[in-house]
Amino acid sequence: MQAKTVAAEPAAPEVQRVVPDWLQNPGEAEVALTEDSTQLGSCGICLEPLWNAEPSVFLVNLKRLCRHYFCRACAKRMLLEQTTLGIRPLQEEMQIGMLDGLSSVMDGAGRRVGDLVWSETGQRLCAGEMFLVLTQLQRLRHLEVGMEFRFKEGEALVIRRGVLLGCLLKGAWRTLKRMTHEEFLQEGLEDVAVTSRNIKDLRSKFIVYSGGEFSCWTCKRCSLENTSSDFKCKLCGGPPQRPEDVPEQNLPLDRFGAAALRSRFALRPQLHWAVPLQCPLCRNGGTASVTPMPNLREAPFDWFSLVDVAGAGKLTLYELAAGLATVLPLSSERLESELQHQFSGLQWPINYEQFAQQEGPAHWAMRQLEALHRHENGARR
């Protein structure tokens, strides 16, 4: 009687999720494999090496949208580009600043709520334009006791102890405006000084803009010097360039700051769930969300599941090499060759048990990573 061959059933998920001891403490390879940085697996958008850039993937119904990997920053940016609604006016107590390289609007607690965009076009401000906005807002100054008002040469001026501090602007809901001489007189500001008695009333209506229209940026196209109020070059129409140092802190908007921006800028809100998007490399599309690749040492089963693009429960040699290229500073081609050499007895595709077994591919990869860390630590010393 011929004996039956019983197929081994896959382990239950709760068993599969237990991290083997040899992955937690893998030891290390005798030699850390290295490769030219230009050959490494890279983000499909910014081309930066993936292995130390928080590699991420897009998911549709918990399955991979496509086989490509992206760095975390680019994946988030792609998602943000799609998660938008109609524009809305800026409000007091909002904050503006650069977040993940995007001109952003935050709520009072600093949580991102959308993009800062041009009201007319809905287009998000570039980094250079955002820098000009922040520069102008930082020149707004609240009235202080001891300031005096004068109207000279067509401007309502603010002076203290004989020193010119700037021009006086009147606040409205949608704008800050310069005053004519007639408006200046109607407000009763001629030769008025700010005192402890009138400061509250004056602060509710007026604010000081310090600094004039001095040169702020040079156009890279034509080298023309432009002022801080020019959001494109007056000669060639080129945009302001991204400055070397963009302020990292968000700038809160008070009622005057919000009013100064409302006439030209607005909030384009974002949503925070899966949105329709398309991979820029293979054009696969779907309602997708972004998720970072799990840590192979800490969550090998989750890592295996995300590398399994087809959801078949098995990895081809190509899939595993592409996945490990996000963990190790080696190209997928080099990894294919190494895996074939190290595990010539394996029949591809392999399941999770074969992948995570002692002396298996996951164990080998973790040893390589340990050797790499040892090499880096030795180089620092």
Side-chain angles (χ1 to χ4, degrees), residues 36-183:
D36 190 308
S37 61
T38 60
Q39 304 298 318
L40 304 184
S42 60
C43 170
I45 298 176
C46 69
L47 304 182
E48 289 296 316
L50 281 169
W51 73 279
N52 61 351
E54 294 185 87
S56 301
V57 295
F58 291 112
L59 298 183
V60 177
N61 295 327
L62 302 181
K63 294 183 179 180
R64 291 278 295 275
L65 171 69
C66 65
R67 63 182 178 85
H68 296 107
Y69 297 88
F70 303 92
C71 72
R72 179 71 168 163
C74 287
K76 287 176 64 178
R77 187 171 302 179
M78 285 177 59
L79 203 65
L80 291 176
E81 291 286 355
Q82 300 298 325
T83 55
T84 56
L85 295 170
I87 63 174
R88 299 177 183 175
L90 295 165
Q91 302 294 334
E92 185 179 349
E93 297 184 358
M94 286 181 173
Q95 303 176 21
I96 63 171
M98 296 296 293
L99 188 63
D100 293 328
L102 303 175
S103 299
S104 302
V105 181
M106 280 66 66
D107 62 17
R111 295 182 292 262
R112 190 180 192 278
V113 294
D115 298 319
L116 185 66
V117 300
W118 291 92
S119 299
E120 290 187 1
T121 64
Q123 183 176 359
R124 188 179 62 242
L125 276 68
C126 68
E129 293 169 335
M130 186 65 169
F131 177 73
L132 295 183
V133 169
L134 295 173
T135 299
Q136 292 191 24
L137 287 179
Q138 288 168 345
R139 293 180 189 156
L140 294 178
R141 178 177 177 180
H142 289 286
L143 293 172
E144 298 173 2
V145 173
M147 291 181 175
E148 300 176 0
F149 307 140
R150 300 282 189 277
F151 198 94
K152 292 184 178 181
E153 299 179 358
E155 289 277 7
L157 304 179
V158 181
I159 301 169
R160 184 165 60 183
R161 297 173 186 171
V163 178
L164 177 63
L165 301 179
C167 64
L168 190 67
L169 302 179
K170 183 178 180 180
W173 190 81
R174 286 191 60 83
T175 187
L176 296 181
K177 57 176 293 187
R178 298 176 186 268
M179 286 181 286
T180 64
H181 191 208
E182 182 179 356
E183 291 171 328

Side-chain angles (χ1 to χ4, degrees), residues 291-361:
T291 188
M293 290 296 295
N295 185 292
L296 176 55
R297 184 199 300 270
E298 298 172 358
F301 181 75
D302 293 338
W303 188 92
F304 180 93
S305 299
L306 279 187
V307 174
D308 178 14
V309 178
K314 293 185 177 183
L315 296 183
T316 65
L317 176 62
Y318 173 85
E319 286 177 324
L320 181 55
L324 289 178
T326 70
V327 177
L328 297 169
L330 298 170
S331 67
S332 58
E333 293 80 9
R334 174 73 180 278
L335 283 162
E336 277 194 53
S337 175
E338 292 292 338
L339 289 169
Q340 283 181 320
H341 174 71
Q342 295 289 336
F343 306 102
S344 57
L346 282 180
Q347 295 294 318
W348 302 90
I350 61 173
N351 59 26
Y352 175 73
E353 288 79 7
Q354 293 170 301
F355 167 73
Q357 67 185 336
Q358 192 167 10
E359 304 298 334

